[in-house]
Each structure stands twice: as structure tokens, then as C-alpha cells.
């Protein structure tokens, strides 16, 4: 099947699904090589038809929330549902009680509703009063990883950041300051940076994201060059 991510804000039996996203797990283009924590993502997902979204909500997300309430373990927070679209319908790969990486980097930039207000509503037991509003633009995120990732990799390479295009956001992950009193960033992890771009559609967002990723560099840096190709083909 094909993988899909739907994260939700949950408070008891109230479930507010976020916009769907699709991650790219394999390290190399065309889904080749070992799986990683994610080499890029995009949102929305054009083949996530309303019927599939309804199935995810009706058959998986809402029953899960209700089951936790019935067991005396009501959940408050973010539920990450890793799903698989199969011939037998929507199946669950995993649940996480957190935001997903890198899916969050393409979902939250599209969220127009104030995130703080949503989290306060969850905390205060009034999530049902919240209505999520979404930016209609598409988002594409590309991860820049260390040479050798997801296997062994070296650290300490200086990160160079050029002029990023408008409507992009740089997320720093596997990096740290080179030392006290310096602003130089060096690599410290496998997935070092993620660059997210917003665009009128997925093709525009993808083009801008790759323009931005070209402004980032460190020794051995690599990234997938086919992020969101599946979505563009379906569009």
C-alpha cells in the first residue's frame, strides 16, 4: 500500500484531524535504500479523497479516541496516525502521541488557526469549540542529511546558509553552535536541516523548496530529488 499521515488534535472524544501529509521514508530517490526518519514531505495529499479521509476519521481516529475514554484513559494532545492505503481499506501502521517529523513541517505552516489557542482549548476541555482553518496553499519540505545517514555519519561540518526564497522556512534539527560565543552552525545529527516552501500548488511549492535547498550546504550533504513527484503526477 501507500503510506499516509493524519495527525489530530484530541480531547476526550473530540477529534479535530489536521490536513493529511505524505512522508518519504527511504533515503534515496524512487524509494530506494534503507528507511529513515523521513527525507521530506508534502501537504495536501491529492489522492487523499474525501471518502478516504472520512474512513480514517470514522473507522480509526474517532473510535480510538472513544476507546481510550471507555478504558478510563482519556487522551489530550496530538495523536499521530501513520496509515496505509491498501486494497482492504485504510490500515494502521503506528500511533504516536506527538507531532510527526517531517510531516509537521508541511502541516503547521498551513494552519491558520492559532496553535496556542488550540492547545489551550485542549487543556481546558473545550476543543469542541475550535474550528480549524487552513491555508489553501501547498507545502513541500526537503530534508538535508549527513553523508552516511541513516547509518554511521561524521559530525562537526560547518553549515553554510545562503539567501532563501520568500515563503520558505528553515528548520534546524541535527545541528549545534560550533562553540560558546559563536554563531557558526555545525552538523551534529543525521537529519540536519529541513527546508519548507509554500506555493500556490504542490508543483510551485516543490520548485521553491528545491531552490531553497540549493542555498544550504555542508560537507557530504545529501537530499532526495524526487520529493512530491508522486503528488505532481496525480495532480
Amino acid at each position: 500500500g501507500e503510506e499516509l499521515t493524519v495527525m489530530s488534535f484530541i480531547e476526550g472524544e473530540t477529534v479535530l484531524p489536521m490536513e493529511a501529509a505524505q512522508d518519504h521514508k527511504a533515503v534515496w530517490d524512487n524509494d530506494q535504500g534503507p528507511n529513515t526518519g523521513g527525507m521530506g514531505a508534502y501537504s495536501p495529499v491529492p489522492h487523499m479523497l474525501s471518502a478516504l479521509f472520512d474512513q480514517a476519521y470514522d473507522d480509526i481516529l474517532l473510535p480510538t479516541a472513544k476507546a481510550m475514554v471507555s478504558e478510563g484513559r482519556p487522551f489530550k494532545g496530538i495523536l499521530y496516525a501513520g496509515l496505509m492505503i491498501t486494497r482492504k481499506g485504510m490500515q494502521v501502521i503506528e500511533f504516536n502521541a506527538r507531532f510527526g517529523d517531517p510531516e509537521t513541517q508541511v502541516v503547521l505552516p498551513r494552519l491558520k488557526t492559532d496553535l496556542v489557542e488550540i492547545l489551550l482549548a485542549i487543556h481546558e476541555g473545550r476543543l469542541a469549540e475550535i474550528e480549524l482553518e487552513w491555508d489553501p496553499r501547498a507545502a513541500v519540505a526537503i530534508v538535508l542529511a549527513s553523508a552516511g545517514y541513516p547509518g554511521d555519519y561524521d559530525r562537526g561540518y560547518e553549515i553554510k546558509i545562503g539567501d532563501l526564497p520568500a515563503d520558505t522556512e528553515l528548520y534546524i534539527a541535527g545541528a549545534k553552535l560550533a562553540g560558546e560565543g559563536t554563531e557558526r552552525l555545525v552538523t551534529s545529527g543525521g537529519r540536519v536541516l529541513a527546508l519548507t516552501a509554500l506555493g500556490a500548488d504542490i508543483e510551485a511549492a516543490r520548485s521553491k523548496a528545491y531552490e531553497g535547498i540549493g542555498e544550504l550546504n555542508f560537507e557530504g550533504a545529501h537530499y532526495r530529488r524526487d520529493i512530491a513527484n508522486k503528488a505532481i503526477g496525480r495532480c
Side-chain angles (χ1 to χ4, degrees):
E2 192 164 347
E3 191 174 349
L4 191 72
T5 299
V6 180
M7 298 178 289
S8 300
F9 298 109
I10 294 183
E11 180 250 313
E13 294 188 1
T14 301
V15 178
L16 297 186
M18 303 181 215
E19 290 281 286
Q22 187 169 62
D23 189 9
H24 295 65
K25 290 290 187 187
V27 68
W28 304 121
D29 292 358
N30 302 313
D31 295 329
Q32 298 298 304
N35 277 347
T36 70
M39 293 297 291
Y42 64 86
S43 176
V45 182
H47 52 288
M48 181 65 166
L49 304 177
S50 59
L52 283 174
F53 198 89
D54 290 345
Q55 182 188 2
Y57 178 83
D58 294 336
D59 296 347
I60 297 172
L61 301 175
L62 185 59
T64 298
K66 288 184 174 181
M68 287 189 278
V69 171
S70 69
E71 291 184 357
R73 300 179 179 89
F75 182 72
K76 284 187 173 186
I78 290 89
L79 184 69
Y80 169 109
L83 307 174
M84 188 74 82
I85 304 171
T86 77
R87 293 177 182 175
K88 296 180 180 180
M90 198 79 75
Q91 303 291 318
V92 176
I93 305 172
E94 61 175 345
F95 284 126
N96 292 302
R98 57 166 172 77
F99 282 113
D101 174 15
E103 296 95 332
T104 305
Q105 288 92 305
V106 295
V107 172
L108 285 192
R110 300 185 58 226
L111 179 64
K112 296 178 71 174
T113 310
D114 190 329
L115 178 62
V116 174
E117 289 301 319
I118 299 169
L119 298 180
L120 280 173
I122 292 173
H123 177 66
E124 295 169 359
R126 52 180 181 82
L127 182 62
E129 301 173 7
I130 298 292
E131 184 175 346
L132 301 184
E133 185 180 0
W134 296 95
D135 190 324
R137 292 178 296 172
V140 172
I142 301 166
V143 170
L144 196 63
S146 295
Y149 176 78
D152 295 332
Y153 50 86
D154 294 327
R155 300 167 174 83
Y157 297 117
E158 183 174 358
I159 299 169
K160 298 177 182 178
I161 303 174
D163 295 326
L164 301 179
D167 290 327
T168 62
E169 191 75 34
L170 180 62
Y171 298 95
I172 299 172
K176 64 179 183 180
L177 292 175
E180 189 174 347
T182 179
E183 294 184 356
R184 286 196 312 118
L185 281 175
V186 297
T187 63
S188 65
R191 290 186 296 164
V192 179
L193 305 170
L195 191 284
T196 298
L198 287 166
D201 53 31
I202 289 176
E203 188 167 7
R206 179 187 182 278
S207 177
K208 192 178 297 183
Y210 277 107
E211 179 186 349
I213 210 76
E215 296 290 329
L216 307 171
N217 192 35
F218 53 85
E219 186 173 334
H222 71 91
Y223 57 91
R224 281 185 57 160
R225 290 168 170 77
D226 64 343
I227 302 299
N229 278 6
K230 294 177 184 177
I232 292 170
R234 289 186 169 99
C235 290

